[in-house]
Amino acid sequence: MNRYLRVLVGILAVLVVNPAWAEGKKSGVGESGGGGIAPIGSTGVGPREIFIPPEQASQSLGTVLVAATMMAGAGAGKCRMNFVVTNMSTTTITMGAVGTATNDKGDVTDNWVISIGSLAPNAQAARLFSCALGAVKLTLTPLGEFSWPPLKCAKPDKEPEACPLGMQIRSSLPIAEKK
């Protein structure tokens, strides 16, 4: 990964962890003629942080943090959804989920596939997507080969397998709990 991309990913990760820092430049005009990037507020009601414990009864290998932030970009009608996955566990992981945003009527506004092939312990990966304005709720659904939480242990030269991992989700949108 080149140096500039690493810096950009690092800045986005800091803004996701502490969105208040992004509010430093909410208005005004930059060199490009647009305003700064800031998280989009949601009128939706519900938890913005949840923890999903591992399904396995054995001792946990740790937690994977998924931070989801919907952001307004420079210019009218610009919207970005940023998913930052941080592996705080002791094992290399793989992740597969579909993120779905819905509006206040329950209509789907966006779907995003969040797929991480391999993420080492203490590593981070980000996925940035376009989005539609008007979302008030976020739902994560495991991809077909994953259970809940949508995480597996990745081992060299072997198929990923279920293992005791917890998942913490933080979102700028309220999170719809898994039924």
PDB file of all heavy atoms in Angstrom, residues 124-144:
ATOM      1  N   GLN A 124      -5.860  -3.476  10.205  1.00  0.00           N
ATOM      2  CA  GLN A 124      -7.083  -2.758   9.927  1.00  0.00           C
ATOM      3  C   GLN A 124      -7.311  -2.731   8.418  1.00  0.00           C
ATOM      4  O   GLN A 124      -6.366  -2.623   7.645  1.00  0.00           O
ATOM      5  CB  GLN A 124      -6.932  -1.336  10.458  1.00  0.00           C
ATOM      6  CG  GLN A 124      -8.170  -0.507  10.487  1.00  0.00           C
ATOM      7  CD  GLN A 124      -7.895   0.807  11.191  1.00  0.00           C
ATOM      8  OE1 GLN A 124      -7.156   1.626  10.655  1.00  0.00           O
ATOM      9  NE2 GLN A 124      -8.468   0.998  12.359  1.00  0.00           N
ATOM     10  N   ALA A 125      -8.564  -2.807   8.001  1.00  0.00           N
ATOM     11  CA  ALA A 125      -8.934  -2.695   6.588  1.00  0.00           C
ATOM     12  C   ALA A 125     -10.141  -1.777   6.489  1.00  0.00           C
ATOM     13  O   ALA A 125     -11.003  -1.785   7.365  1.00  0.00           O
ATOM     14  CB  ALA A 125      -9.263  -4.064   6.006  1.00  0.00           C
ATOM     15  N   ALA A 126     -10.201  -0.993   5.430  1.00  0.00           N
ATOM     16  CA  ALA A 126     -11.323  -0.081   5.240  1.00  0.00           C
ATOM     17  C   ALA A 126     -11.962  -0.333   3.885  1.00  0.00           C
ATOM     18  O   ALA A 126     -11.283  -0.673   2.916  1.00  0.00           O
ATOM     19  CB  ALA A 126     -10.845   1.365   5.329  1.00  0.00           C
ATOM     20  N   ARG A 127     -13.270  -0.177   3.838  1.00  0.00           N
ATOM     21  CA  ARG A 127     -14.038  -0.288   2.605  1.00  0.00           C
ATOM     22  C   ARG A 127     -14.904   0.960   2.516  1.00  0.00           C
ATOM     23  O   ARG A 127     -15.711   1.231   3.404  1.00  0.00           O
ATOM     24  CB  ARG A 127     -14.923  -1.538   2.583  1.00  0.00           C
ATOM     25  CG  ARG A 127     -14.166  -2.847   2.736  1.00  0.00           C
ATOM     26  CD  ARG A 127     -13.296  -3.118   1.507  1.00  0.00           C
ATOM     27  NE  ARG A 127     -12.650  -4.418   1.565  1.00  0.00           N
ATOM     28  CZ  ARG A 127     -11.403  -4.612   1.992  1.00  0.00           C
ATOM     29  NH1 ARG A 127     -10.682  -3.590   2.409  1.00  0.00           N
ATOM     30  NH2 ARG A 127     -10.874  -5.813   1.980  1.00  0.00           N
ATOM     31  N   LEU A 128     -14.741   1.725   1.430  1.00  0.00           N
ATOM     32  CA  LEU A 128     -15.468   2.977   1.237  1.00  0.00           C
ATOM     33  C   LEU A 128     -16.428   2.807   0.064  1.00  0.00           C
ATOM     34  O   LEU A 128     -16.025   2.371  -1.007  1.00  0.00           O
ATOM     35  CB  LEU A 128     -14.483   4.122   0.964  1.00  0.00           C
ATOM     36  CG  LEU A 128     -15.063   5.519   0.826  1.00  0.00           C
ATOM     37  CD1 LEU A 128     -15.715   5.974   2.125  1.00  0.00           C
ATOM     38  CD2 LEU A 128     -13.974   6.503   0.415  1.00  0.00           C
ATOM     39  N   PHE A 129     -17.706   3.140   0.289  1.00  0.00           N
ATOM     40  CA  PHE A 129     -18.747   2.961  -0.718  1.00  0.00           C
ATOM     41  C   PHE A 129     -19.515   4.260  -0.923  1.00  0.00           C
ATOM     42  O   PHE A 129     -19.589   5.086  -0.024  1.00  0.00           O
ATOM     43  CB  PHE A 129     -19.758   1.900  -0.266  1.00  0.00           C
ATOM     44  CG  PHE A 129     -19.177   0.546  -0.004  1.00  0.00           C
ATOM     45  CD1 PHE A 129     -18.812   0.166   1.274  1.00  0.00           C
ATOM     46  CD2 PHE A 129     -19.007  -0.359  -1.041  1.00  0.00           C
ATOM     47  CE1 PHE A 129     -18.284  -1.088   1.538  1.00  0.00           C
ATOM     48  CE2 PHE A 129     -18.476  -1.620  -0.785  1.00  0.00           C
ATOM     49  CZ  PHE A 129     -18.118  -1.989   0.491  1.00  0.00           C
ATOM     50  N   SER A 130     -20.133   4.409  -2.081  1.00  0.00           N
ATOM     51  CA  SER A 130     -21.094   5.489  -2.305  1.00  0.00           C
ATOM     52  C   SER A 130     -22.388   5.101  -1.612  1.00  0.00           C
ATOM     53  O   SER A 130     -22.652   3.920  -1.391  1.00  0.00           O
ATOM     54  CB  SER A 130     -21.355   5.667  -3.798  1.00  0.00           C
ATOM     55  OG  SER A 130     -20.197   6.127  -4.438  1.00  0.00           O
ATOM     56  N   CYS A 131     -23.209   6.093  -1.291  1.00  0.00           N
ATOM     57  CA  CYS A 131     -24.484   5.800  -0.648  1.00  0.00           C
ATOM     58  C   CYS A 131     -25.515   6.847  -1.044  1.00  0.00           C
ATOM     59  O   CYS A 131     -25.184   7.881  -1.604  1.00  0.00           O
ATOM     60  CB  CYS A 131     -24.342   5.730   0.870  1.00  0.00           C
ATOM     61  SG  CYS A 131     -23.647   7.191   1.670  1.00  0.00           S
ATOM     62  N   ALA A 132     -26.771   6.541  -0.745  1.00  0.00           N
ATOM     63  CA  ALA A 132     -27.873   7.466  -0.980  1.00  0.00           C
ATOM     64  C   ALA A 132     -28.190   8.185   0.328  1.00  0.00           C
ATOM     65  O   ALA A 132     -28.058   7.607   1.407  1.00  0.00           O
ATOM     66  CB  ALA A 132     -29.098   6.705  -1.469  1.00  0.00           C
ATOM     67  N   LEU A 133     -28.587   9.412   0.228  1.00  0.00           N
ATOM     68  CA  LEU A 133     -28.978  10.167   1.419  1.00  0.00           C
ATOM     69  C   LEU A 133     -30.339   9.684   1.912  1.00  0.00           C
ATOM     70  O   LEU A 133     -31.133   9.155   1.151  1.00  0.00           O
ATOM     71  CB  LEU A 133     -29.024  11.659   1.100  1.00  0.00           C
ATOM     72  CG  LEU A 133     -27.674  12.282   0.734  1.00  0.00           C
ATOM     73  CD1 LEU A 133     -27.868  13.712   0.252  1.00  0.00           C
ATOM     74  CD2 LEU A 133     -26.722  12.236   1.907  1.00  0.00           C
ATOM     75  N   GLY A 134     -30.599   9.835   3.187  1.00  0.00           N
ATOM     76  CA  GLY A 134     -31.901   9.495   3.749  1.00  0.00           C
ATOM     77  C   GLY A 134     -31.926   8.229   4.588  1.00  0.00           C
ATOM     78  O   GLY A 134     -32.967   7.858   5.114  1.00  0.00           O
ATOM     79  N   ALA A 135     -30.800   7.544   4.738  1.00  0.00           N
ATOM     80  CA  ALA A 135     -30.765   6.322   5.543  1.00  0.00           C
ATOM     81  C   ALA A 135     -30.885   6.664   7.021  1.00  0.00           C
ATOM     82  O   ALA A 135     -30.329   7.651   7.489  1.00  0.00           O
ATOM     83  CB  ALA A 135     -29.482   5.552   5.291  1.00  0.00           C
ATOM     84  N   VAL A 136     -31.628   5.822   7.763  1.00  0.00           N
ATOM     85  CA  VAL A 136     -31.786   6.033   9.202  1.00  0.00           C
ATOM     86  C   VAL A 136     -31.423   4.794  10.015  1.00  0.00           C
ATOM     87  O   VAL A 136     -31.416   4.845  11.239  1.00  0.00           O
ATOM     88  CB  VAL A 136     -33.213   6.493   9.576  1.00  0.00           C
ATOM     89  CG1 VAL A 136     -33.527   7.846   8.959  1.00  0.00           C
ATOM     90  CG2 VAL A 136     -34.249   5.454   9.187  1.00  0.00           C
ATOM     91  N   LYS A 137     -31.132   3.657   9.357  1.00  0.00           N
ATOM     92  CA  LYS A 137     -30.829   2.428  10.085  1.00  0.00           C
ATOM     93  C   LYS A 137     -29.875   1.569   9.274  1.00  0.00           C
ATOM     94  O   LYS A 137     -29.913   1.557   8.050  1.00  0.00           O
ATOM     95  CB  LYS A 137     -32.104   1.640  10.369  1.00  0.00           C
ATOM     96  CG  LYS A 137     -31.902   0.591  11.448  1.00  0.00           C
ATOM     97  CD  LYS A 137     -33.200   0.181  12.119  1.00  0.00           C
ATOM     98  CE  LYS A 137     -33.744   1.211  13.025  1.00  0.00           C
ATOM     99  NZ  LYS A 137     -33.689   0.991  14.433  1.00  0.00           N
ATOM    100  N   LEU A 138     -28.984   0.842   9.983  1.00  0.00           N
ATOM    101  CA  LEU A 138     -28.008  -0.054   9.366  1.00  0.00           C
ATOM    102  C   LEU A 138     -28.233  -1.475   9.868  1.00  0.00           C
ATOM    103  O   LEU A 138     -28.419  -1.685  11.074  1.00  0.00           O
ATOM    104  CB  LEU A 138     -26.579   0.385   9.731  1.00  0.00           C
ATOM    105  CG  LEU A 138     -25.453  -0.543   9.283  1.00  0.00           C
ATOM    106  CD1 LEU A 138     -25.305  -0.525   7.767  1.00  0.00           C
ATOM    107  CD2 LEU A 138     -24.138  -0.138   9.940  1.00  0.00           C
ATOM    108  N   THR A 139     -28.196  -2.426   8.956  1.00  0.00           N
ATOM    109  CA  THR A 139     -28.299  -3.845   9.296  1.00  0.00           C
ATOM    110  C   THR A 139     -27.113  -4.564   8.678  1.00  0.00           C
ATOM    111  O   THR A 139     -26.745  -4.283   7.533  1.00  0.00           O
ATOM    112  CB  THR A 139     -29.600  -4.455   8.729  1.00  0.00           C
ATOM    113  OG1 THR A 139     -30.704  -3.710   9.188  1.00  0.00           O
ATOM    114  CG2 THR A 139     -29.749  -5.906   9.152  1.00  0.00           C
ATOM    115  N   LEU A 140     -26.496  -5.486   9.417  1.00  0.00           N
ATOM    116  CA  LEU A 140     -25.453  -6.355   8.872  1.00  0.00           C
ATOM    117  C   LEU A 140     -26.001  -7.770   8.820  1.00  0.00           C
ATOM    118  O   LEU A 140     -26.557  -8.258   9.796  1.00  0.00           O
ATOM    119  CB  LEU A 140     -24.191  -6.320   9.736  1.00  0.00           C
ATOM    120  CG  LEU A 140     -23.357  -5.054   9.677  1.00  0.00           C
ATOM    121  CD1 LEU A 140     -22.135  -5.181  10.584  1.00  0.00           C
ATOM    122  CD2 LEU A 140     -22.913  -4.728   8.274  1.00  0.00           C
ATOM    123  N   THR A 141     -25.824  -8.413   7.669  1.00  0.00           N
ATOM    124  CA  THR A 141     -26.280  -9.782   7.461  1.00  0.00           C
ATOM    125  C   THR A 141     -25.098 -10.603   6.969  1.00  0.00           C
ATOM    126  O   THR A 141     -24.409 -10.179   6.038  1.00  0.00           O
ATOM    127  CB  THR A 141     -27.400  -9.821   6.402  1.00  0.00           C
ATOM    128  OG1 THR A 141     -28.427  -8.912   6.788  1.00  0.00           O
ATOM    129  CG2 THR A 141     -27.967 -11.220   6.248  1.00  0.00           C
ATOM    130  N   PRO A 142     -24.838 -11.774   7.564  1.00  0.00           N
ATOM    131  CA  PRO A 142     -23.703 -12.592   7.117  1.00  0.00           C
ATOM    132  C   PRO A 142     -23.885 -13.071   5.681  1.00  0.00           C
ATOM    133  O   PRO A 142     -25.000 -13.357   5.249  1.00  0.00           O
ATOM    134  CB  PRO A 142     -23.714 -13.794   8.063  1.00  0.00           C
ATOM    135  CG  PRO A 142     -24.608 -13.427   9.190  1.00  0.00           C
ATOM    136  CD  PRO A 142     -25.540 -12.374   8.683  1.00  0.00           C
ATOM    137  N   LEU A 143     -22.773 -13.143   4.935  1.00  0.00           N
ATOM    138  CA  LEU A 143     -22.796 -13.781   3.623  1.00  0.00           C
ATOM    139  C   LEU A 143     -23.073 -15.265   3.828  1.00  0.00           C
ATOM    140  O   LEU A 143     -22.873 -15.801   4.923  1.00  0.00           O
ATOM    141  CB  LEU A 143     -21.458 -13.583   2.908  1.00  0.00           C
ATOM    142  CG  LEU A 143     -21.168 -12.158   2.423  1.00  0.00           C
ATOM    143  CD1 LEU A 143     -19.767 -12.071   1.834  1.00  0.00           C
ATOM    144  CD2 LEU A 143     -22.200 -11.703   1.398  1.00  0.00           C
ATOM    145  N   GLY A 144     -23.484 -15.958   2.787  1.00  0.00           N
ATOM    146  CA  GLY A 144     -23.929 -17.344   2.864  1.00  0.00           C
ATOM    147  C   GLY A 144     -23.028 -18.299   3.610  1.00  0.00           C
ATOM    148  O   GLY A 144     -23.488 -19.149   4.355  1.00  0.00           O
TER     149      GLY A 144
END
